[in-house]
């Protein structure tokens, strides 16, 4: 099975999220950048508001995919003690990596939102959407910050992922929806016919288009 592109994947994913359609408590968040076109289709078909999930992993220097924590706008920071406690010079690394990633987060927030504040997630059912998961490190970071932002329930929704990543995340969220759980997984791109990089301009377009349709 291959999706034509991210928007087609989003339409397929929305078809499996019918339990969340037309509910006043649901918000859809796309992980920039590739997850936003998928999330746009999901939000449109569910009749839900759309925003970006501006989260940054705090990765171990030299092994960035190994996250020892995550940050979100507003000074939110969560730490994974299982990884952090094994770091040499942990406090120094924490401050250095946090400072670097905070600057990136601020740049992304200005670029994507401008002066528009983030959607209020308090007591909401939040559906986190990406174009697929490999290790799931970024998605785990997003999941980790949702309770600190007031989300009542967290749902992960992706078109494709390997079974071990789905199994690992299932215990961390209230629900997980994946169109294709594939044993033969090497990269997200292998499940798409068209998989060009999503640009910042496209992210901005999807967010503005979603606001118009609300």
């Amino acid at each position: 099975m291959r999706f034509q592109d991210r928007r087609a994947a989003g339409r397929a994913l929305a078809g499996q999220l019918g339990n969340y359609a037309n509910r006043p408590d649901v918000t859809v968040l796309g992980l920039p950048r590739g997850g936003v076109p998928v999330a746009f289709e999901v939000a449109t078909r569910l009749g839900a508001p759309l925003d970006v999930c501006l989260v940054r992993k705090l990765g171990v220097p030299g092994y960035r995919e190994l996250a020892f924590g995550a940050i979100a706008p507003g000074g939110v920071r969560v730490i994974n003690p299982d990884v952090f406690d094994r770091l040499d010079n942990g406090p120094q690394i924490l401050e250095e990596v946090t400072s670097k990633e905070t600057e990136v987060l601020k740049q992304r927030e200005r670029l994507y939102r401008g002066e528009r504040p983030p959607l209020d997630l308090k007591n909401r059912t939040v559906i986190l959407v990406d174009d697929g998961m490999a290790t799931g490190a970024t998605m785990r970071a997003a999941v980790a910050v949702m309770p600190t932002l007031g989300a009542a329930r967290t749902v992960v929704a992706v078109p494709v992922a390997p079974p071990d990543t789905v199994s690992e995340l299932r215990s961390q969220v209230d629900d997980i929806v994946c169109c294709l759980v594939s044993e033969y997984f090497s990269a997200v791109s292998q499940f798409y016919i068209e998989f060009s990089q999503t640009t910042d301009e496209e992210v901005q377009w999807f967010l503005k288009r979603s606001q118009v349709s609300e």
Side-chain angles (χ1 to χ4, degrees):
M1 177 180 175
R2 298 176 74 197
F3 303 103
Q4 177 61 41
D5 55 23
R6 289 181 177 89
R7 295 188 69 173
R11 292 189 289 271
L13 187 58
Q16 297 195 16
L17 289 163
N19 289 340
Y20 299 98
N22 302 311
R23 281 177 40 177
D25 65 319
V26 171
T27 297
V28 176
L29 301 183
L31 274 63
R33 288 177 289 190
V36 175
V38 185
F40 174 81
E41 296 294 337
V42 170
T44 299
R45 280 157 177 74
L46 297 187
L50 172 69
D51 203 353
V52 285
C53 180
L54 286 169
V55 62
R56 297 291 297 179
K57 288 182 297 183
L58 300 177
V60 175
Y63 303 91
R64 195 184 180 287
E65 282 299 302
L66 180 59
F68 65 83
I71 59 172
V76 173
R77 182 169 72 180
V78 295
I79 300 299
N80 178 359
D82 291 339
V83 177
F84 180 75
D85 290 346
R86 299 201 305 267
L87 294 177
D88 294 328
N89 301 317
Q92 179 181 347
I93 291 174
L94 174 62
E95 295 310 313
E96 290 177 351
V97 176
T98 297
S99 177
K100 176 183 176 182
E101 295 298 344
T102 297
E103 284 305 309
V104 176
L105 195 67
K106 289 178 179 177
Q107 293 171 7
R108 291 280 178 88
E109 189 167 27
R110 287 193 298 267
L111 181 64
Y112 295 151
R113 289 204 182 106
E115 298 301 317
R116 180 176 64 87
L119 296 179
D120 185 2
L121 302 182
K122 188 175 181 180
N123 298 323
R124 306 285 293 178
T125 293
V126 178
I127 303 178
L128 295 169
V129 179
D130 207 350
D131 54 13
M133 295 188 298
T135 66
T138 302
M139 185 62 80
R140 285 197 300 274
V143 167
V145 302
M146 287 301 106
T148 68
L149 297 176
R153 301 184 74 245
T154 302
V155 179
V156 167
V158 292
V160 61
D164 54 344
T165 300
V166 172
S167 296
E168 182 178 352
L169 268 170
R170 192 177 298 280
S171 63
Q172 301 174 31
V173 297
D174 296 287
D175 191 11
I176 185 166
V177 177
C178 183
C179 296
L180 179 60
V181 180
S182 175
E183 296 275 0
Y184 306 100
F185 190 104
S186 60
V188 171
S189 59
Q190 80 186 76
F191 298 95
Y192 287 84
I193 296 171
E194 196 282 313
F195 198 70
S196 59
Q197 186 179 51
T198 303
T199 66
D200 288 329
E201 291 74 18
E202 287 175 315
V203 171
Q204 292 170 310
W205 184 90
F206 283 116
L207 291 175
K208 290 178 181 177
R209 180 70 178 273
S210 180
Q211 290 175 324
V212 169
S213 62
E214 288 177 5

